[in-house]
Amino acid sequence: MANSQIRTQKRVATAKELRERLSQTNVVGVEPVHGCGFQCSKCMFAPMPEERSLMDVNRFERALIELKHSGIVKANTVMHELASPGLIFAYSLGGNPPEHPRLHEITNVIKRHFPEAKVHAFWNLGGVNTPQALVKRTQNLDALCLSLDAQHYAGLRKELMPRIKELPAAERKQAVNNELVRRIGWVARAATENCFTLAYRLTGKETEAKVFREIIRAAEAKHGSGILYGEDEPTPRLARGSMRGRKSTQPLILHDCTITDHYPE
């Protein structure tokens, strides 16, 4: 639509301007949750509030229709004909997507308006307290990536502290490891029931990645080999706050359903 307006960092741009810049990407970033209880000291979206703000499903649908009519995403669907991965909606940005209790409804909205699209998510293994909740929230996903990072390990330890604070230090560490193995089992079950691809990504230093490789081996020993895959080499961690104010090569739908080409400062 010629009159559609979408926010950019310094001013409101026309859909035509944004379409010309973004039409080469096949990914739309979506922020179902803003805020994170882990409060990682090196988070690339820091500073991040601890209180969570959840995306409204109805407002998201209106934003998605606006994005669809703008022609930006329509241009992206051509990528599918060029043997690319096709159109992908990626749940990520400044929060932990599976914490949204209606995440499956957001996914359904995407699939209703873009039936050819794939929906990917990441999970830091925190913020979801039961396997049943995880199975429900991951319905209709196409892929989920476990974000394995020492910062997230510390965040899960913080989340579990009320339950483990009376244990000796060595036993607290083992309790966190056991909980990680248990939650990997949850997501393996969800992947089986909901038929999505399950992967992991190691982030940080090699010494940090070594801990998670041991946890992955323990999870596979308990829940079955080949339940997830990933690169053995860790990805370098981006600098704290490096995504704030940064222009994106893909359209973003933030938790307040603003459509933008940058993450706010």
Side-chain angles (χ1 to χ4, degrees):
M1 295 192 318
N3 295 327
S4 180
Q5 293 184 323
I6 298 173
R7 184 183 301 174
T8 64
Q9 187 169 359
K10 295 184 179 179
R11 64 184 179 84
V12 173
T14 65
K16 179 181 178 182
E17 290 173 320
L18 210 54
R19 182 167 60 246
E20 288 174 351
R21 282 209 312 106
L22 299 175
S23 62
Q24 297 307 306
T25 181
N26 66 320
V27 179
V28 178
V30 180
E31 182 182 54
V33 179
H34 181 74
C36 182
F38 279 10
Q39 293 295 292
C40 299
S41 61
K42 298 180 182 178
C43 176
M44 60 186 175
F45 291 100
M48 178 62 55
E50 189 164 0
E51 182 179 358
R52 276 55 136 208
S53 298
L54 303 179
M55 175 177 276
D56 179 88
V57 178
N58 293 327
R59 289 183 63 197
F60 171 71
E61 182 161 22
R62 290 195 292 270
L64 196 66
I65 291 170
E66 179 184 357
L67 188 66
K68 184 177 183 179
H69 288 169
S70 74
I72 296 168
V73 174
K74 183 178 179 181
N76 293 343
T77 61
V78 175
M79 302 289 286
H80 183 71
E81 300 172 7
L82 302 178
S84 80
L87 179 62
I88 296 172
F89 285 81
Y91 297 152
S92 55
L93 305 175
N96 186 26
E99 286 195 66
H100 199 306
R102 299 177 66 188
L103 187 68
H104 57 295
E105 295 181 38
I106 295 173
T107 304
N108 289 342
V109 167
I110 293 171
K111 296 283 189 173
R112 183 160 62 248
H113 290 282
F114 296 95
E116 82 287 356
K118 305 296 184 183
V119 182
H120 295 185
F122 96 95
W123 185 34
N124 63 17
L125 292 163
V128 183
N129 296 321
T130 68
Q132 293 81 6
L134 190 63
V135 168
K136 182 177 181 180
R137 296 173 193 184
T138 57
Q139 289 173 2
N140 285 329
L141 284 184
D142 295 285
L144 186 144
C145 182
L146 300 181
S147 181
L148 304 180
D149 186 315
Q151 297 276 297
H152 296 162
Y153 185 98
L156 183 61
R157 185 176 183 274
K158 173 185 172 184
E159 183 179 300
L160 297 174
M161 189 54 68
R163 290 162 42 188
I164 66 175
K165 62 183 178 182
E166 303 300 330
L167 297 175
E171 292 184 27
R172 285 201 298 266
K173 179 179 179 181
Q174 188 58 50
V176 175
N177 290 355
N178 291 343
E179 185 64 19
L180 280 166
V181 169
R182 190 163 77 111
R183 294 191 183 194
I184 290 173
W186 292 359
V187 74
R189 169 187 162 183
T192 298
E193 293 194 19
N194 294 329
C195 300
F196 61 78
T197 301
L198 179 59
Y200 66 86
R201 183 185 65 188
L202 301 171
T203 306
K205 300 177 182 178
E206 172 58 31
T207 52
E208 298 168 340
K210 183 179 178 181
V211 173
F212 283 108
R213 291 193 195 101
E214 293 173 357
I215 291 170
I216 290 168
R217 284 195 292 270
E220 290 189 322
K222 184 171 183 178
H223 304 297
S225 61
I227 57 174
L228 71 169
Y229 73 93
E231 294 292 332
D232 233 19
E233 294 300 314
T235 302
R237 190 180 290 119
L238 297 178
R240 174 182 168 85
S242 58
M243 296 303 294
R244 289 283 180 181
R246 181 174 174 177
K247 287 214 171 188
S248 175
T249 58
Q250 58 189 240
L252 309 175
I253 306 179
L254 304 182
H255 72 284
D256 61 0
C257 299
T258 298
I259 304 172
T260 182
D261 66 347
H262 76 286
Y263 199 80
E265 294 183 359

